[in-house]
Amino acid sequence: MKKVLLGVFLATGLLTYAQQIQDLPLFGLEQRTGTARFQAMAGAFGALGGDFSALAINPAGAAVFKHSQMGFGLSHFQTENNTQLNATNTQANKGHLGFNQAGIVFVYDNSKNSPWKKISLALNSDNSNQYKSRVNAKGNTSNGLDQYFLHYANGTPFGDILKLDGELLEEAYLNIGSQIGYAAQQAFLGYYSGVLDPAELDNNSISSYVSNALYQQVRQNHHIQTKGRNSKFVATTAAQYKDFLFLGAGLEFQNLVFEKQGRINEDGYSANSPIQYIDFDNFIRTDGNGVALSLGAIARVSQFLRLGVSYKTPTWYTLSEKTHQQIGSNLEDVDIEFIDQNQINLFEDYRITIPSKITLSGALVVGKRGLISVDYSQQDFSTARFRPLNDPYFNNLNSAANNDLGTVNSLNIGGEFNLSRWSFRVGYSAQNSPFVNNTVNTINTSSGLGWVFNGGRIDFAYSQWEQSQSVSPLNFPKGTAFQMETRRNIASMTYTLFF
């Protein structure tokens, strides 16, 4: 069995580059999945309440429940990614089945003793996001992997990336990363894999490098696989005042697990190129926990009209990360194969702050026949922050977030028509990109039905979520980027028991 070696990045200000501003919307934006009824109506429940997943939108909705109940949900996620790299199209699919939601609410009827007619305590757990996905992209590009290693190597003294006498190559990889930094560690990989050389081999102080790859264009094949989830647990208390006002507060706990495994195979160099192929693997895992507080109100303005407003504080996350890498080429050092998944880079815990969110809601309720509901929410991602703020690299990321990220506006519309014991539902939602230079919206359409029986209810939903984005697998300015269109199909079932 191979021994697992750990390199720990601890020094404040040491450039790790494991974090990117893309992490802020990745961990901060939520998909409105949950109960089947909630999903079928695109999560437009801010003025309705009476649903477990709606507790995270407006905690006042807990007081809308008429009686105590419990429920759980099962969902199947199918993700299809279509990529284009310089006119070459590739498709990849990934499916996942699992429990998606569970909740319970206790309703205390106080109408005989006080104008506060009802008090509720609700607990619910569901997923804010599912990260299970597979991406394949292949095509020709003029930006080879050598540019990645040159980007980090130039400016690093050659002597800093040489292994010491008696030091194993895998030990040198971890030691250079933890003692000097990420840039020197990548330069080390570039040199010992044969991708680059210093401009003068006999000069340890030189900090300029040349590539051993000759090409006009190269062929790249990208394989990216992600998995994990961002789940939330919400504890809510709410009360109904007379017949027209519902007030609530909730405490939300997030639990995050995210893994990303990326592999790039590159070839197609000129016939006289010393380098003829490069295989480069990168793995990152992020674990963390977050907490936020929410406040909300729902007003029954008239027999037909309900209005809602809610505010969610910033979500404060504490995160930890670990990475490992592997590289190979036709010019590699014979011992570079020992740099693999057993050499783990550990990073000091850090924090991120996801911006607060405000949601305005309205609903038209036509007795027991049906309803139409609309939610509008706003969240300014330019105020998202990496912490501690005195870290130079985090300061650069925060400046980039301030310039490159903007306000996310979300519109959710849902409708329900009731016929005897049956309910028929539809939903639509649109959300703009958090990146100011990306004008593509995320669109979701959904539908579903429900059946009420003595003592409970069963609901079904189907939704399709579509998004377009540009993907850069490696974090450096000249990296290859490809276009990706994602379609996620979600089928859900929820069983609710009244008691």
Side-chain angles (χ1 to χ4, degrees):
M1 177 182 294
K2 288 187 176 181
K3 182 169 64 174
V4 176
L5 300 179
L6 304 176
V8 183
F9 290 71
L10 290 177
T12 299
L14 190 64
L15 300 188
T16 66
Y17 297 89
Q19 301 82 23
Q20 306 177 47
I21 65 168
Q22 288 84 351
D23 294 346
L24 298 171
L26 177 67
F27 300 150
L29 287 177
E30 298 183 359
Q31 297 178 12
R32 289 201 177 188
T33 59
T35 70
R37 184 179 181 226
F38 182 86
Q39 179 185 331
M41 294 173 59
F45 271 80
L48 294 176
D51 184 277
F52 289 115
S53 295
L55 302 177
I57 306 300
N58 189 338
V64 178
F65 285 100
K66 294 181 179 180
H67 38 66
S68 300
Q69 54 189 271
M70 62 186 298
F72 66 91
L74 186 71
S75 293
H76 180 266
F77 295 82
Q78 183 71 31
T79 303
E80 175 186 305
N81 291 309
N82 293 285
T83 60
Q84 185 179 72
L85 176 55
N86 287 346
T88 301
N89 298 308
T90 313
Q91 184 183 92
N93 298 281
K94 190 73 173 178
H96 170 68
L97 176 67
F99 288 99
N100 188 49
Q101 177 273 329
I104 188 169
V105 59
F106 300 96
V107 179
Y108 173 63
D109 186 349
N110 195 43
S111 58
K112 295 180 180 180
N113 304 315
S114 169
W116 293 96
K117 301 179 63 173
K118 198 191 316 175
I119 299 173
S120 300
L121 173 64
L123 305 173
N124 185 62
S125 176
D126 61 19
N127 288 326
S128 301
N129 214 328
Q130 283 280 355
Y131 297 120
K132 202 157 193 175
S133 179
R134 180 185 292 125
V135 177
N136 290 334
K138 59 184 177 182
N140 295 329
T141 177
S142 58
N143 296 318
L145 283 172
D146 62 321
Q147 296 303 308
Y148 169 84
F149 294 104
L150 288 171
H151 171 77
Y152 288 116
N154 283 320
T156 302
F158 180 46
D160 287 355
I161 66 171
L162 294 175
K163 74 181 185 71
L164 303 177
D165 291 339
E167 188 178 37
L168 298 176
L169 201 65
E170 59 269 33
E171 294 173 339
Y173 165 77
L174 294 175
N175 290 336
I176 288 172
S178 60
Q179 295 170 16
I180 303 177
Y182 181 88
Q185 190 182 59
Q186 302 314 290
F188 171 90
L189 287 178
Y191 174 67
Y192 282 98
S193 65
V195 176
L196 54 78
D197 280 318
E200 299 175 19
L201 278 172
D202 57 351
N203 184 353
N204 284 1
S205 62
I206 197 167
S207 58
S208 59
Y209 296 79
V210 294
S211 171
N212 289 321
L214 304 177
Y215 58 89
Q216 295 296 319
Q217 285 196 325
V218 292
R219 290 188 299 267
Q220 286 186 351
N221 197 343
H222 297 261
H223 306 271
I224 303 172
Q225 185 162 311
T226 60
K227 62 181 181 179
R229 80 292 175 271
N230 194 349
S231 60
K232 60 176 176 281
F233 175 80
V234 181
T236 302
T237 183
Q240 177 184 346
Y241 182 75
K242 295 185 177 180
D243 289 324
F244 67 88
L245 184 62
F246 305 83
L247 300 173
L251 192 59
E252 184 175 305
F253 302 93
Q254 300 276 164
N255 180 256
L256 172 70
V257 178
F258 175 76
E259 288 187 4
K260 179 180 178 181
Q261 175 73 56
R263 180 178 179 85
I264 303 175
N265 306 110
E266 184 176 279
D267 59 15
Y269 303 93
S270 302
N272 61 337
S273 173
I275 284 287
Q276 285 298 309
Y277 76 86
I278 304 173
D279 298 326
F280 189 35
D281 292 12
N282 285 275
F283 171 86
I284 183 168
R285 178 182 171 110
T286 305
D287 294 270
N289 294 286
V291 63
L293 176 69
S294 60
L295 301 170
I298 298 174
R300 187 178 288 158
V301 179
S302 69
Q303 181 182 354
F304 304 104
L305 179 62
R306 295 182 185 180
L307 299 177
V309 61
S310 62
Y311 171 78
K312 180 180 176 181
T313 67
T315 304
W316 297 278
Y317 279 97
T318 299
L319 303 175
S320 62
E321 288 184 339
K322 63 180 179 180
T323 68
H324 60 71
Q325 297 178 291
Q326 194 166 4
I327 191 170
S329 82
N330 59 297
L331 291 182
E332 67 186 36
D333 185 283
V334 66
D335 289 331
I336 206 165
E337 64 176 320
F338 295 106
I339 300 175
D340 57 17
Q341 68 273 12
N342 294 301
Q343 279 64 57
I344 300 172
N345 300 299
L346 297 178
F347 297 93
E348 185 178 18
D349 287 359
Y350 66 99
R351 304 184 304 277
I352 62 173
T353 303
I354 301 300
S356 61
K357 180 193 291 187
I358 187 167
T359 302
L360 303 176
S361 311
L364 290 174
V365 181
V366 186
K368 295 183 178 180
R369 183 60 66 186
L371 59 89
I372 297 176
S373 181
V374 179
D375 284 3
Y376 170 75
S377 62
Q378 195 173 82
Q379 191 173 20
D380 184 3
F381 271 86
S382 69
T383 64
R385 291 293 179 264
F386 289 88
R387 299 175 187 275
L389 296 176
N390 61 355
D391 185 290
Y393 180 60
F394 286 167
N395 274 337
N396 291 334
L397 285 179
N398 291 334
S399 295
N402 192 59
N403 294 326
D404 298 340
L405 298 179
T407 299
V408 174
N409 300 284
S410 302
L411 178 67
N412 301 73
I413 304 172
E416 181 178 66
F417 175 73
N418 300 316
L419 184 63
S420 185
R421 291 179 175 268
W422 290 92
S423 298
F424 303 91
R425 305 169 183 128
V426 293
Y428 171 86
S429 67
Q431 182 181 84
N432 66 285
S433 170
F435 294 92
V436 295
N437 60 353
N438 186 346
T439 59
V440 178
N441 293 336
T442 298
I443 303 297
N444 177 78
T445 55
S446 55
S447 60
L449 56 86
W451 181 59
V452 178
F453 55 90
N454 292 333
R457 188 179 72 233
I458 188 167
D459 298 293
F460 300 91
Y462 174 81
S463 64
Q464 187 175 88
W465 173 88
E466 295 182 351
Q467 182 187 62
S468 298
Q469 60 181 311
S470 177
V471 178
S472 300
L474 295 176
N475 182 26
F476 80 110
K478 295 182 179 181
T480 298
F482 55 83
Q483 296 300 310
M484 182 172 73
E485 293 187 359
T486 299
R487 179 180 292 113
R488 176 168 290 177
N489 301 302
I490 308 172
S492 300
M493 181 200 74
T494 301
Y495 177 77
T496 305
L497 175 67
F498 307 145
F499 62 91

